[in-house]
């Protein structure tokens, strides 16, 4: 199963490399695009859950690394959820 990373810039200017066990991330995000924090979080939840489910279907177990990445994204997004203009930028995909 092809895995990939995607680089994001948080509203505070910090950047992170995020992991997905599947290319499904490309169905939910566009490099160079800004997303309101709540939208980014919702899309990340959908995409990483789908990615983990693909691992489950293929190997018989969920992808703990994808679910861990989702938890890290939730933690990072939380301080920005009440800031109406806060945006997350998807910088790039790396496969």
């Amino acid at each position: 199963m092809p895995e990939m990373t995607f680089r994001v810039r948080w509203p505070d200017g910090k950047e992170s490399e995020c992991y997905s066990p599947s290319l499904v991330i490309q169905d939910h995000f566009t490099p160079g695009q800004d997303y309101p924090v709540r939208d980014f979080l919702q899309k990340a939840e959908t995409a990483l859950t789908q990615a983990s489910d693909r691992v489950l279907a293929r190997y018989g177990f969920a992808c703990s690394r994808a679910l861990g990445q989702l938890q890290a994204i939730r933690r990072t997004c939380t301080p920005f959820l009440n800031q109406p203009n806060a945006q997350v930028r998807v910088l790039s995909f790396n496969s």
Side-chain angles (χ1 to χ4, degrees):
M1 182 166 290
E3 62 184 11
M4 70 178 307
T5 59
F6 56 105
R7 190 153 191 81
V8 299
R9 182 179 304 127
W10 303 104
D12 61 4
K14 293 180 183 174
E15 295 183 8
S16 296
E17 195 81 18
C18 300
Y19 170 81
S20 174
S22 165
L23 302 180
V24 72
I25 291 296
Q26 295 176 8
D27 296 340
H28 297 275
F29 295 114
T30 302
Q33 180 73 40
D34 291 326
Y35 298 89
V37 172
R38 287 187 188 279
D39 290 351
F40 177 82
L41 180 55
Q42 181 180 15
K43 287 176 174 289
E45 287 175 343
T46 299
L48 289 169
T49 299
Q50 286 177 356
S52 180
D53 289 349
R54 287 181 180 189
V55 172
L56 177 62
R58 184 162 185 180
Y59 299 107
F61 53 86
C63 180
S64 59
R65 189 169 171 197
L67 299 176
Q69 180 64 70
L70 180 54
Q71 289 300 324
I73 288 172
R74 285 180 180 141
R75 279 192 307 273
T76 304
C77 285
T78 297
F80 305 111
L81 288 174
N82 293 322
Q83 297 178 19
N85 296 323
Q87 303 273 316
V88 178
R89 174 168 285 221
V90 176
L91 299 171
S92 63
F93 295 144
N94 306 299
S95 49

